[in-house]
Amino acid sequence: MAAFRERRNVFILAVCQMLSGSGRTLIAASSPLVALGITPDQALATLPITFLVLGTAFTTFPASMLMRRIGRRWGFVVGGLVGALGGVFAVGGVLLANFWLFAGGGMGCSAFLAFAQLYRFAATDVAPDDFKPKAISLVLVGGVAGAFVGPELAKAGIDLFASSRFLGSYLFLIVVTLLSSLVVLAVDIPKLTPTEERDPGRPMAEIMRQPAFITAVVVATIAQADMNLLMTATPLAMRHANHLFADIALVIEWHSFA
């Protein structure tokens, strides 16, 4: 029975990872093109996705601290709700052709993605020691599925409303974020014990002085910069070369999958 519960929890977290990955790739495929159509300065077309990346980086640590207070499950719910609010702002930006409103939506969605970074670690809370590595891997597999779902949702929503291109895509984004908040309610994550609650853990200053930490940060920074350059510039370059959005979505899918 315990083994079934553990695998059920991992499956739920993998579904949530898929939903968050879908939101990220939907935004990556479409936001530069939406911004290009409504910004007064075309040099700003990449700003919404920049807000998304920076917001995710700055929100991840507060997300972790909040989860320590209210628990992982409710933290994930909060993240999904904030992401849905960001989706509402993005929809408003698309409807009103308001660039700054649309860019602000990226900040809201960044909180959703920041909380979603922690799904893989929640897997270690619900799995025994001998299953933890596989549990993390299985949760991350959900993100691989999201690589295809997000751009396909963007593609399905692009002309859903004739009056406003991409409006349907960002309505799908709201649905995805709200679904993540609902699905995660089914996960059963043990609460911290009184001893764990009193344990402050190692100071961040001590962790940050470790060579392994410094190496990980440097490598992650270079890899993320490279990845975001490709995911931001590719839709714009392909649009400039007169490719259809279906082709742009396909390229983002396979980039994200890889």
Side-chain angles (χ1 to χ4, degrees):
M1 188 66 181
F4 171 78
R5 184 177 70 250
E6 291 154 5
R7 282 159 175 74
R8 173 181 171 275
N9 283 329
V10 169
F11 174 75
I12 292 167
L13 290 168
V15 171
C16 291
Q17 184 78 28
M18 182 272 291
L19 292 169
S20 70
S22 300
R24 179 178 174 81
T25 52
L26 184 155
I27 295 169
S30 62
S31 70
L33 304 179
V34 175
L36 188 67
I38 62 177
T39 177
D41 180 357
Q42 299 206 341
L44 298 176
T46 58
L47 192 61
I49 202 164
T50 300
F51 281 173
L52 182 79
V53 174
L54 290 177
T56 302
F58 288 123
T59 313
T60 301
F61 188 72
S64 183
M65 293 299 97
L66 178 64
M67 285 185 174
R68 186 174 180 85
R69 288 183 173 274
I70 67 174
R72 286 206 188 274
R73 180 170 57 177
W74 290 109
F76 290 135
V77 170
V78 169
L81 293 177
V82 175
L85 181 61
V88 170
F89 276 91
V91 165
V94 173
L95 270 174
L96 302 174
N98 185 310
F99 172 76
W100 292 107
L101 188 60
F102 181 73
M107 289 297 291
C109 292
S110 72
F112 170 53
L113 297 179
F115 279 90
Q117 298 290 323
L118 305 174
Y119 286 134
R120 70 198 74 178
F121 302 114
T124 66
D125 294 336
V126 300
D129 289 342
D130 61 345
F131 186 52
K132 287 183 192 295
K134 186 174 286 187
I136 294 171
S137 299
L138 290 171
V139 170
L140 291 176
V141 166
V144 175
F148 294 99
V149 174
E152 289 300 318
L153 288 176
K155 193 164 67 176
I158 185 172
D159 292 319
L160 201 57
F161 297 92
S163 59
S164 190
R165 211 158 187 250
F166 286 107
L167 176 59
S169 304
Y170 283 85
L171 288 173
F172 284 140
L173 177 64
I174 295 174
V175 172
V176 163
T177 52
L178 289 176
L179 267 178
S180 74
S181 289
L182 289 174
V183 170
V184 82
L185 286 172
V187 77
D188 180 19
I189 300 176
K191 293 182 179 179
L192 294 176
T193 65
T195 302
E196 290 171 332
E197 288 181 347
R198 288 192 299 269
D199 182 6
R202 286 185 297 161
M204 277 301 299
E206 178 187 330
I207 295 171
M208 292 171 70
R209 286 195 297 268
Q210 292 182 301
F213 176 87
I214 296 169
T215 301
V217 169
V218 171
V219 171
T221 300
I222 294 170
Q224 285 284 327
D226 185 45
M227 183 192 72
N228 287 311
L229 170 64
L230 289 171
M231 294 186 77
T232 304
T234 296
L236 296 173
M238 292 185 68
R239 168 59 60 85
H240 182 71
N242 297 317
H243 288 283
L244 298 175
F245 182 70
D247 299 324
I248 295 171
L250 183 65
V251 170
I252 294 298
E253 284 176 18
W254 284 100
H255 166 77
S256 302
F257 171 76

